[in-house]
Amino acid sequence: MTDGSKGMAIETPAALTRLAEAAAARGERIWFVGGSVRNALLGLPASDLDITGKLLHAEVQALCDGLGIKCVQMDTFLGTLHINLGNGIIAEYTPFRTERYAPGGAHRPESVFFGVSMEEDALRRDFTVNALYRDVLTGELADPLGGAADVERKLLRACSRDTLSSDALRILRLIRFSAELGFSVAPETEEDARRNAALLDDIVPERKREELEKILIADAKYGGGTVSVTSENIPVTFGEAENVFNALMRMDALGVWEHLIPELTEGRGEEQNKLYHKYTVQEHIFRTVAAAPRDPLIRLTMLLHDVAKPYTFRRDGNYHLHNVNGVPMAARILDGLRFPVKTRETVTALVKAHMLDTAKNAKESTLRKHFAALGRENTARLIAVRESDVHGCGTEDDFVAVKFRELFATMLTDGTPFSERELAIGGKGIMEATHLPAGTAIGAVKAELHAHCVHRPQDNTPERLAALAPRTEAARRALKGLAPKAD
């Protein structure tokens, strides 16, 4: 069960060493458990610092109080403590325990039992590679379920046959760990996941959303982190995050999408025009996600950008306007998974815009109008979306939206106002220039001036706009309405 010679050392904060020494003085041990132990064996950084032992949470709380270590009870039912070890490091302590779950796949157990052995504690965990323990003081490795061998084999195996049925969220964690670590899945665990996928319906949307977000950027976990596509940074990507693509396909093979985003199953096996698409609708969607920069918003957009294609084809016999039809579908999906409103607004705007100039013949004036309507940041994101979309077709893997990039760069430097707030004249200036009173007409004049300056940014000066304001159609109509009528 134990082997002190395996693996790398885990960096131990001084406060944790003091706590472990205090526990040892009482004849008890504090153990690292889970991801930190697994990652030490793999030579990867620890992402979480989970600790455990026989001591009950109240006993550990008392030890922390005596040592002057800040400790907060997070969940007395589960026995969870958050221990502040300094320098922003929080360790989560839970005593050895077993759990009982109600029928279904709900995430939270209905009863918890403390005072159990390490072996019993290990069996209630998710996968054997996460049921590894290392003594905080001695570095001794405890391996009740053979997890070290599974780490060496790069294999994910459930700790018991009811691991996934008792807590169906672990099915998504299985897919995420496989993608993040590059591990395969034991056949019996994969079968358990497939058999219990419907229990995902019992999991609250927020928890499913969190796991989905992590799956979409699984290549970032140990691959340099995420990026943010902004007006100052629009990365060019030609590769494909194979682990992300495989994770999305595995979710389909295990029947997960039916209980997460069922709309993504409708494009399964649906062929597209071979002139433009090498893959089915569903595979194309998954490949665009994997081709996108490691920006969570872009990855999420790619997952939903063609979600309406099957519906549109069934209705019309073609894919025309699938971007427009995709807006309410994407909004409904995002709301159902409790994504923030801002995320929904951004993603749906990009879904609607993603077909812009696919024929590559749009005039500059047309593109300027669309870019201004999207705004700086969403225009930058749209460029990443267009490139990811083409890369996911399998026909132009070296495509770069040069036209979009060049025009956008020009608009960023020539003074193009991307909103009415960026005009060099405000409502007061417009009233002075037009002699109109405050009211809706001023807003209409401002909108016309903004549209004018999107195409002629050199006119965005106070003097020039003051001269143009009275000549706008909105000002003329308003002044005509104010003119005294003849008797």
Side-chain angles (χ1 to χ4, degrees):
M1 173 177 154
T2 60
D3 185 344
S5 65
K6 293 182 179 179
M8 299 169 51
I10 301 173
E11 187 173 341
T12 307
L16 181 53
T17 300
R18 288 165 52 216
L19 176 60
E21 289 171 342
R26 296 186 50 177
E28 298 294 347
R29 305 168 82 172
I30 302 293
W31 301 84
F32 292 111
V33 66
S36 62
V37 184
R38 178 200 68 220
N39 282 11
L41 294 176
L42 291 167
L44 295 173
S47 55
D48 300 303
L49 198 59
D50 294 330
I51 55 177
T52 187
K54 288 184 180 180
L55 290 171
L56 299 179
H57 53 283
E59 295 173 305
V60 173
Q61 174 84 65
L63 288 178
C64 288
D65 292 344
L67 294 168
I69 298 173
K70 293 181 180 179
C71 181
V72 178
Q73 289 194 21
M74 302 300 295
D75 191 323
T76 55
F77 177 70
L78 297 177
T80 306
L81 301 173
H82 278 187
I83 303 172
N84 190 331
L85 302 174
N87 297 319
I89 301 173
I90 303 294
E92 182 170 289
Y93 179 88
T94 53
F96 291 162
R97 70 175 192 248
T98 58
E99 303 165 340
R100 181 178 295 131
Y101 290 81
H107 181 63
R108 189 174 176 85
E110 64 175 358
S111 58
V112 174
F113 306 92
F114 300 110
V116 302
S117 67
M118 177 186 287
E119 289 77 5
E120 291 172 297
D121 182 74
L123 286 170
R124 64 96 180 169
R125 296 185 180 274
D126 51 11
F127 310 109
T128 59
V129 298
N130 295 331
L132 292 164
Y133 304 75
R134 174 162 277 170
D135 188 293
V136 169
L137 293 180
T138 68
E140 178 185 4
L141 181 71
D143 182 12
L145 303 180
D150 287 340
V151 170
E152 290 181 10
R153 292 186 291 174
K154 297 187 180 299
L155 180 71
L156 289 170
R157 181 165 55 92
C159 291
S160 70
R161 291 309 297 265
D162 65 354
T163 291
L164 304 181
S165 61
S166 61
D167 179 2
L169 188 68
R170 290 168 171 170
I171 297 172
L172 294 179
R173 286 168 59 84
L174 172 73
I175 295 163
R176 171 166 65 87
F177 284 137
S178 177
E180 289 177 346
L181 298 167
F183 281 21
S184 60
V185 179
E188 67 275 12
T189 300
E190 195 161 65
E191 179 54 35
D192 287 344
R194 185 179 295 106
R195 188 175 65 252
N196 292 296
L199 295 178
L200 283 165
D201 292 339
D202 296 334
I203 304 298
V204 297
E206 292 83 354
R207 301 304 297 268
K208 291 190 284 191
R209 181 200 73 218
E210 290 170 3
E211 288 298 327
L212 174 62
E213 289 179 299
K214 292 175 182 178
I215 291 168
L216 292 178
I217 55 168
D219 56 321
K221 179 71 173 181
Y222 303 112
T226 60
V227 299
S228 292
V229 173
T230 68
S231 58
E232 298 176 352
N233 176 43
I234 312 174
V236 177
T237 48
F238 296 114
E240 180 179 284
E242 185 177 353
N243 54 340
V244 173
F245 172 73
N246 290 339
L248 301 179
M249 292 297 287
R250 172 170 272 144
M251 292 167 75
D252 189 58
L254 297 181
V256 167
W257 288 120
E258 283 87 345
H259 308 283
L260 189 65
I261 304 177
E263 292 87 347
L264 290 177
T265 68
E266 295 177 10
R268 184 191 297 138
E270 184 170 317
E271 299 291 343
Q272 303 185 83
N273 189 327
K274 293 297 184 181
L275 288 176
Y276 309 107
H277 285 279
K278 181 179 177 181
Y279 309 113
T280 64
V281 171
Q282 186 193 63
E283 185 173 347
H284 163 70
I285 289 173
F286 294 164
R287 288 192 181 277
T288 66
V289 175
R294 293 193 304 267
D295 181 316
L297 266 175
I298 304 300
R299 293 274 174 94
L300 183 60
T301 299
M302 302 321 300
L303 188 68
L304 300 177
H305 80 288
D306 278 352
V307 71
K309 271 188 172 180
Y311 162 77
T312 305
F313 190 83
R314 288 195 307 269
R315 188 188 67 181
D316 304 328
N318 57 57
Y319 293 137
H320 299 164
L321 297 179
H322 73 271
N323 56 319
V324 176
N325 293 321
V327 170
M329 291 178 68
R332 185 172 64 252
I333 291 166
L334 294 169
D335 285 344
L337 289 170
R338 307 294 191 268
F339 276 91
V341 172
K342 182 63 176 177
T343 298
R344 183 192 69 203
E345 292 174 346
T346 299
V347 170
T348 54
L350 294 172
V351 167
K352 184 177 181 180
H354 84 268
M355 292 296 290
L356 178 62
D357 196 27
T358 53
K360 303 177 184 178
N361 58 7
K363 296 179 180 179
E364 177 180 325
S365 59
T366 300
L367 294 180
R368 277 184 171 269
K369 176 183 177 181
H370 283 286
F371 288 180
L374 281 169
R376 283 183 178 79
E377 300 312 316
N378 274 354
T379 297
R381 293 173 181 133
L382 177 63
I383 292 170
V385 166
R386 287 288 300 120
E387 293 177 351
S388 303
D389 196 5
V390 175
H391 294 166
C393 292
T395 55
E396 281 189 63
D397 290 341
D398 60 347
F399 171 80
V400 177
V402 174
K403 181 178 176 182
F404 279 24
R405 286 176 177 267
E406 289 181 348
L407 176 58
F408 184 47
T410 297
M411 292 175 69
L412 291 176
T413 57
D414 67 7
T416 299
F418 279 79
S419 71
E420 293 179 13
R421 293 189 302 273
E422 297 175 25
L423 287 175
I425 194 172
K428 183 178 180 181
I430 293 174
M431 287 188 285
E432 292 175 352
T434 59
H435 305 293
L436 287 169
T440 57
I442 301 302
V445 171
K446 197 171 188 180
E448 277 194 57
L449 293 176
H450 177 245
H452 173 90
C453 290
V454 165
H455 302 291
R456 298 177 181 82
Q458 67 274 15
D459 286 345
N460 191 22
T461 66
E463 298 77 16
R464 183 63 181 148
L465 293 178
L468 288 170
R471 293 184 285 179
T472 61
E473 185 63 29
R476 289 172 178 170
R477 286 197 304 267
L479 289 169
K480 185 177 180 181
L482 291 175
K485 294 182 173 58
D487 291 335

